[in-house]
Amino acid sequence: MSCNEEGARGGLKIYIFLEVMGVTEGGFKERNKEPISYIRHETKIGDLVVKASSIDVRTVGAGGGSIARVPEVTKALRVGPESAGSVPGPACYGHGGTRATVSDANAVLGYLPANLLGGAFALDLNNAKRAVQQVAHDLGVGLYEAAEGILKLSNETILVAFGGAGPLHANALGKLIGAWPVIVPPSPGVLCAFGDATTLPRYESGRPFTMVLGKTSVEDVVEGFAALLAEVKQVMRDDQGVAEAHQRHTFQADLRFCGQANNVPVNVDLDVLKADGLSHLRRIFDAEHVRLFTYSLAVDLEIVNLRVIAEEPRADLAVKRLKEAKSSDPPSNLAQSTSTLVFAGKEHGGCPVWNRSGLLAGHVLYGPCLISEMDSNTLIHPGYQAQIDDLGNILIAETDKMKVAGIPDSSQTLDTVTVDIFENALRNARSEMDALMTRTTMSPAIREQQDEFNVIAEPGGKMLVGQFGSFIGDFLDNWKGSIEPGDIFLTNDPYSVAGAVSHHNDWLILTPILVDDKLIAWTSNFGHMTDVGGSVPGSLPCAANSIFEEGIQIPVTKIASRGVWNDDLMEVIYRNVRLPEWNKGDVRALVAACDIAGRRMTELYIRFGHAMSFAAIDELLQRNRRAIASIISSMPEEPASFEDWIDDDGQGVGPWKIACTMTKRGEKLHFDFSNTDPQSPSSINFYLSIAM
């Protein structure tokens, strides 16, 4: 509610609200006073699923108390999710904490005043320096570089504008996403409490519907909404004291493609539904699925739930406006003290610490400086300004002084933190691929068992993130055709990709990522299809003695050229499987996952530039080699052996032994499978992937 108020007052069309507290951050976006993210109807906390409605706020573990550390194997900086908590808290609190946190980094760089809470709480700066110095020692860098690195990495994880610690990071995050102005509302540390105080009655009721769109009628849907509407009107009137005339009602349906398991909620215009029929549901669902996942399908829909929400409309609140300042320059007596602030390793002495309570509308403050209040502190970077509007908001924006002064952008210097930022971005891209596959695929093996594996690789095929190793080098050695923007390759043939997929059920999508016709990366994903033809449903015939009994074989094939799909070829492929609609849906999901990863790689490339991007990639590959070499060097010299048995080959013959001996030879490990039983005439054989 507090976010709605702030956005409405600011008159902005789209705004992002994020909060930084002592342990975590959370956030969501709004457009025209309405959340862009969903009201979700279940929340996962660890392994528990709570089936209750809540705003879809995403929380990450990188708050002011998040601990910075440097793992011994990788020597890479990490921030969070481990937290110092409130006890002992950050080292700068002086309550026994010894490990560096985000708050300690802020303190070392001068971004936190020496005294907080109106002077009632003094920071222990020496403790903060000792804690951050340990991180600096482990990284092999200086104190300030380590502190700035901690903040850079935490800023990559969060976007903030309120919460007690939020305004310290607001300017930096505006730079990251290019979103101006960054708004810091009055009393940001208690904005959530303001939201609690202004929350209005709301009630929702839902019911299962569970009907295929093509087998139901618009009358059934309207009747379902009508019953729910009567219920919410009564509850709001009798229990909440809100007359029907003062209620606002929203109609929602949870829809999905037949075969999917995750629902997409959409807002339904009841009048349009009555006039246009069920085609209205089809249109709004297709549009939302494209917005969320980039594609739609020509298959029937399933209506899973209907829902009606009743709310009391928000009345405009009276807002006290600030007095207009006579000059944009605030009086000098509002600078309650000065501080030394550090940016890009350089100390800026004598920076004013402004008292926010005395600032008036129209005052403009130039960085570097701090703006202090009882519950928070706002940091303004060099080359940026903070203007106070008539509502008391701080509006942070760029100033031409940045261009005149030529302030260096430290993000364009390849250092260990820049490499860590690049690595985090790769990890996040892979997580996005996994999330899309879970939400959209139809084959249970993919959706429920996560039998899908993705790879992001550099142009030569070396894996940057993923698992099972990279097969792309083998693909490049064998592919003789063109590679152009918008091309999509498909295969399920283990022999075409050096065993990266182990059987025909695994369909693998491969896409090149090009910028200005220059190949910058590859993205790939494969998933286990429920059926690919063959002699038995499910395409895993135990009695098979030939590969031709295991379903359709697809060599590496270009199924789309410069973004244009070969629909005739795909129809031939789908004609050879028992569940073609599932395969169609899963192929589109695989492509969409690769497309999302491709966008992220393009964003990284544009952000850091060609030289910096590939320097970071080279360092990540070298870091991986050093880490693996370190692990190998710690292993004993004596060979290690393992063997196991497969009971039988599906035809009553067995057992079959699998045996491996691992021997360390210098900096390499050698794996000897020579004591494994010979190949079986049945279907239990496995094509060993060297890259895997």
Side-chain angles (χ1 to χ4, degrees):
M1 180 62 190
S2 57
C3 297
N4 271 338
E5 291 293 341
E6 290 301 325
R9 292 174 187 172
L12 301 176
K13 292 295 184 183
I14 299 179
Y15 33 94
I16 305 172
F17 289 101
L18 300 109
E19 178 181 23
V20 179
M21 299 172 285
V23 181
T24 63
E25 291 83 32
F28 63 94
K29 289 196 293 185
E30 293 188 352
R31 178 187 289 122
N32 294 330
K33 306 181 187 179
E34 296 297 334
I36 292 176
S37 58
Y38 296 125
I39 299 290
R40 60 183 176 190
H41 301 283
E42 64 177 45
T43 302
K44 191 170 184 180
I45 305 173
D47 294 328
L48 300 176
V49 176
V50 180
K51 291 187 176 295
S53 298
S54 65
I55 292 177
D56 192 8
V57 176
R58 299 299 174 178
T59 302
V60 296
S66 295
I67 293 172
R69 67 198 189 285
V70 182
E72 180 64 30
V73 172
T74 61
K75 293 294 183 183
L77 179 62
R78 298 285 184 264
V79 179
E82 296 85 0
S83 174
S86 56
V87 178
C92 63
Y93 284 9
H95 293 159
T98 59
R99 301 179 68 184
T101 67
V102 172
S103 291
D104 294 314
N106 277 313
V108 165
L109 297 172
Y111 301 168
L112 280 173
N115 295 285
L116 303 177
L117 301 177
F121 185 83
L123 294 181
D124 191 330
L125 184 57
N126 289 330
N127 263 1
K129 287 183 176 179
R130 279 192 291 269
V132 176
Q133 184 58 54
Q134 182 59 55
V135 174
H137 176 270
D138 293 342
L139 286 174
V141 300
L143 176 66
Y144 289 156
E145 187 177 349
E148 290 192 277
I150 292 170
L151 296 188
K152 285 181 183 177
L153 207 55
S154 64
N155 287 341
E156 292 287 331
T157 310
I158 60 174
L159 296 173
V160 298
F162 64 96
L168 283 177
H169 299 256
N171 198 155
L173 288 157
K175 292 164 65 176
L176 274 179
I177 64 175
W180 307 107
V182 176
I183 302 175
V184 181
S187 302
V190 295
L191 192 64
C192 285
F194 173 73
D196 281 343
T198 57
T199 297
L200 294 170
R202 180 182 190 275
Y203 181 78
E204 72 172 60
S205 181
R207 56 173 286 188
F209 194 80
T210 318
M211 289 289 292
V212 174
L213 190 68
K215 296 182 179 180
T216 189
S217 68
V218 67
E219 290 78 16
D220 289 339
V221 177
V222 171
E223 182 181 337
F225 277 133
L228 293 171
L229 178 62
E231 177 189 346
V232 298
K233 282 182 176 181
Q234 179 183 355
V235 171
M236 287 287 284
R237 182 188 65 240
D238 298 345
D239 297 348
Q240 303 287 351
V242 181
E244 290 185 19
H246 294 156
Q247 297 177 23
R248 182 178 66 183
H249 304 107
T250 303
F251 301 88
Q252 291 184 344
D254 293 340
L255 306 172
R256 63 192 181 197
F257 288 120
C258 291
Q260 289 182 329
N262 287 275
N263 308 327
V264 174
V266 294
N267 287 342
V268 178
D269 187 317
L270 197 58
D271 291 333
V272 176
L273 176 66
K274 292 176 181 178
D276 294 357
L278 297 177
S279 62
H280 174 56
L281 297 183
R282 180 80 210 201
R283 284 196 305 272
I284 59 178
F285 174 80
D286 283 347
E288 185 67 359
H289 203 276
V290 169
R291 187 185 73 83
L292 291 172
F293 308 119
T294 75
Y295 72 95
S296 185
L297 297 170
V299 300
D300 210 344
L301 303 184
E302 184 180 7
I303 308 174
V304 183
N305 300 302
L306 300 179
R307 188 179 307 105
V308 176
I309 302 165
E311 300 172 285
E312 181 181 8
R314 181 177 68 249
D316 292 334
L317 297 177
V319 179
K320 182 180 179 181
R321 298 185 180 273
L322 293 184
K323 181 180 178 182
E324 189 73 25
K326 295 180 180 179
S327 168
S328 62
D329 297 323
S332 58
N333 62 358
L334 289 182
Q336 58 192 33
S337 63
T338 61
S339 180
T340 298
L341 306 178
V342 180
F343 297 92
K346 179 183 177 182
E347 293 184 347
H348 296 255
C351 299
V353 180
W354 298 99
N355 182 356
R356 184 172 184 176
S357 63
L359 296 173
L360 301 178
H363 278 151
V364 179
L365 315 172
Y366 294 95
C369 69
L370 279 170
I371 304 172
S372 186
E373 54 192 306
M374 175 65 75
D375 60 312
S376 189
N377 297 278
T378 302
L379 175 68
I380 310 301
H381 289 221
Y384 293 83
Q385 68 180 37
Q387 181 174 351
I388 311 302
D389 70 9
D390 62 347
L391 299 173
N393 294 311
I394 299 172
L395 309 180
I396 304 173
E398 298 170 295
T399 175
D400 289 339
K401 287 185 178 182
M402 186 174 188
K403 300 175 184 177
V404 174
I407 296 169
D409 183 357
S410 60
S411 68
Q412 294 304 305
T413 302
L414 184 66
D415 52 26
T416 183
V417 174
T418 302
V419 176
D420 293 336
I421 289 172
F422 207 94
E423 181 186 25
N424 280 347
L426 289 170
R427 185 183 301 115
N428 290 339
R430 185 187 175 193
S431 296
E432 285 189 84
M433 297 176 78
D434 287 334
L436 185 144
M437 294 297 291
T438 299
R439 292 189 64 183
T440 62
T441 49
M442 299 184 180
S443 291
I446 301 176
R447 187 179 63 234
E448 307 294 342
Q449 297 176 291
Q450 278 73 57
D451 192 353
E452 56 89 15
F453 303 99
N454 46 53
V455 170
I456 301 174
E458 51 83 59
K462 298 184 182 70
M463 183 177 71
L464 301 177
V465 63
Q467 63 197 94
F468 285 1
S470 176
F471 52 87
I472 298 173
D474 296 278
F475 159 76
L476 292 172
D477 289 340
N478 292 287
W479 178 256
K480 305 306 179 186
S482 62
I483 297 174
E484 300 175 289
D487 287 353
I488 303 172
F489 299 89
L490 168 67
T491 185
N492 71 341
D493 177 21
Y495 300 99
S496 295
V497 286
V501 297
S502 56
H503 54 180
H504 292 164
N505 290 76
D506 291 338
W507 284 21
L508 184 149
I509 290 291
L510 177 65
T511 63
I513 309 303
L514 295 92
V515 175
D516 296 330
D517 291 326
K518 181 184 297 181
L519 183 66
I520 66 163
W522 290 91
T523 61
S524 181
N525 211 2
F526 77 76
H528 182 111
M529 302 290 164
T530 296
D531 185 275
V532 296
S535 60
V536 299
S539 312
L540 296 172
C542 294
N545 292 300
S546 163
I547 194 171
F548 302 104
E549 300 174 69
E550 297 184 337
I552 185 172
Q553 299 178 57
I554 310 171
V556 176
T557 303
K558 186 184 289 191
I559 59 172
S561 181
R562 298 193 71 88
V564 179
W565 283 71
N566 188 334
D567 293 324
D568 292 338
L569 172 62
M570 296 307 298
E571 187 59 32
V572 170
I573 292 173
Y574 295 139
R575 269 297 187 94
N576 283 273
V577 304
R578 293 179 176 86
L579 297 169
E581 302 302 336
W582 284 24
N583 293 61
K584 289 177 184 178
D586 292 344
V587 166
R588 292 306 300 267
L590 288 165
V591 171
C594 290
D595 181 58
I596 284 180
R599 292 188 209 173
R600 301 298 174 254
M601 293 303 295
T602 301
E603 291 164 1
L604 277 175
Y605 182 83
I606 293 172
R607 173 183 172 185
F608 288 99
H610 181 85
M612 183 70 66
S613 295
F614 283 99
I617 286 171
D618 289 343
E619 175 55 30
L620 283 173
L621 293 171
Q622 289 298 329
R623 176 187 287 179
N624 186 64
R625 293 188 185 99
R626 291 192 297 268
I628 295 298
S630 171
I631 293 172
I632 291 175
S633 67
S634 66
M635 298 174 68
E637 298 292 335
E638 297 78 16
S641 297
F642 168 85
E643 65 178 36
D644 202 353
W645 301 83
I646 298 173
D647 290 340
D648 66 54
D649 61 357
Q651 301 182 30
V653 179
W656 298 81
K657 183 173 73 171
I658 300 174
C660 179
T661 298
M662 180 180 71
T663 306
K664 184 169 77 170
R665 298 179 185 174
E667 295 183 347
K668 294 184 177 181
L669 294 176
H670 289 249
F671 297 89
D672 182 0
F673 291 88
S674 60
N675 288 326
T676 296
D677 282 345
Q679 178 171 302
S680 164
S682 77
S683 62
I684 64 169
N685 303 298
F686 183 82
Y687 176 19
L688 180 63
S689 170
I690 302 300
M692 188 187 299

